[in-house]
Amino acid sequence: MTSVQTTGDLTPEPSTLTPATTAAAPAPSRLRLRRPDLLAALGFTAVAVYVLEQQWRSPTSGYLVGSGQDQRMWEWFFAVAAHSVTQFQNPLGTVLQNYPQGVNLMANTAMFGVSLPLAPVTLLFGPTFTWTLVLTAGLAGTAFAWYWLLSRYVVESTAAAVIGGLFCGFAPAMISHANGHPNFVAMGLLPLILACVVALARGAGPRTTVLLGVLVAAQILLGEEPLLILAIGFGVFTVSYLAAHPRQALPTIRTALKPLLVAAAIALAITAIPLWWQFFGPQSYEFIDHGPMGNDLKALLQFPAQSVGGQLSPGQDVAINATEHNAYFGWPLLALVTGAAVWLRRSPTARAAAITTAVMCLLSLGAELTVGRDGTGIDLPWSWLERVPLLESVLETRFAMGAIPAIAVLLALATERALRQRAALVPWLLLLLVALLPLTPTPLPSVDRAPAPEFFADGTWRDYVSSGSVVTVPLPRPEDARALTWQIEADFGFPLAGGYFVGPVGPEKKAKYGPDDRRTALLLAQTQKTGVVPTVTDAERRQAVADLQFWRADVMVLPHGSNEAALRQTVQRLLGDPGHQAGDVWVWDVRGLVAGTR
């Protein structure tokens, strides 16, 4: 079935995930599922349900605590995609948020690869159910896809492939992103893409070329950043592997180059319109500058907060937020991986995996080495790469995710060797338990969210909206995006000023999270934060009218919330209008102020 390489102890190692081999092995010939595959799939699904079991208790209303406002944003993406299907509208852009400028949804990783196919699910059960389903299927599907790749191309042992698949699907980064980033959870296509690339390097035919093009196009519609990280990681792996087989390098390149270019052309043809919209369409942007976002060195060594080890032995909080624990491998696993790399040092595949792990972890540390949030002044390789186009918009902390499959390869290879060398089996399994048990995830905490204000839920808003926007007080923004959920409750009957998305700012089209802030929006946000009613001048009153005209507002709505009294007094002073209660909210009908400006 496969060619054989020789390792240091003369134990046969199956042909691995490498671009060089003498036997052609097209990916489609290995798609048939076996009984162990089905059992593995059921096991991975059970683990995914366990991780999200609190969310599944209320699959249509639950809210993951660690998501911040990201769950609201993603639910809005799913809901607006379903809305665009029913209204026969262009799904790539909308003015339902950030009115009247709108949002470039293709530039916001709206995951059209799942949001559009799952539109019927969203329409039937709501966007929260779709959100819960995508996260669960994403974790299980990613684990199974890597298991499949490992079992077909890296190891012959099902148990070894299961261990690798479990780590890939439920690594600390995957659990962290399951709080709020489904685009970094639903990554099951990536192993299939790698399988096609390897098969083409082995001489697979046109069917695999077409399949690769389709898979890449589908991944672009799911998330481009994971694809970029995978490409960099696999590039490091390939160079490292071929360095040990220099004579195979040129024949491999010759075999793979043409079909890879054809596959790229197919992918670009399929995604040409979405990609044009992303980079050149309305509200597109040039780049987003996140600032320093590298991993702290402690992030590599500590246990993640959402794990058994993190509960028993919590470390210093050095993560960006709860959704960006992109490393957190823990020192026992890193020690085990280092030992495995030494043990398997005669294996070119193991060496390439070890080098890939080291390089991706190093890149994830950012431009300057930090330890315990303290800078050391030591420049790192990322300082040379952070201004490279495409790379400049990537959070460098996420490069650690490129080490996950490389670590899985080492764990799978070492497990298979231990199974063959009976004397090593028990020590290896004990070490594996010590390394992986602390990383066992705990269920993600979820709560039932507060219902939407009756003003939006029962349709009272219709009495105040003609053809303009609703301006909530304060406006929706990355810090508080509840209004997006209320708009969904109102079946997108009105556009919103402000919002939570990524959009351009200024003539350079530099991106930021949320809208290009106007003075009135900033004033209201500051009032909610401090609870202090600001001194309102005539200039600020004129600016408020100008901003309302810019937003083409019909009504300002103040729901119950923190510092509500201060916000109400502020709006009253800005408009010179006491407003009135409409059910459970305060409203100010501002259509007269913006009349003649639309």
Side-chain angles (χ1 to χ4, degrees), residues 396-471:
E396 53 266 37
T397 172
R398 293 175 177 172
F399 281 113
M401 296 187 73
I404 292 173
I407 292 174
V409 167
L410 285 167
L411 295 179
L413 287 173
T415 300
E416 180 157 77
R417 177 175 290 190
L419 288 169
R420 288 174 174 165
Q421 298 177 354
R422 296 298 181 182
L425 181 57
V426 173
W428 170 254
L429 291 180
L430 289 175
L431 291 172
L432 198 61
L433 185 65
V434 170
L436 295 184
L437 184 59
L439 302 182
T440 302
T442 55
L444 301 181
S446 176
V447 297
D448 283 326
R449 76 190 80 186
E454 295 176 2
F455 178 83
F456 297 108
D458 65 11
T460 304
W461 60 268
R462 292 187 178 90
D463 298 332
Y464 298 89
V465 176
S466 300
S467 58
S469 70
V470 170
V471 177

Side-chain angles (χ1 to χ4, degrees), residues 294-317:
N295 281 323
D296 192 287
L297 183 61
K298 286 187 175 182
L300 297 176
L301 303 172
Q302 294 180 167
F303 301 126
Q306 294 164 330
S307 70
V308 172
Q311 298 291 322
L312 297 177
S313 179
Q316 181 183 357
D317 182 9

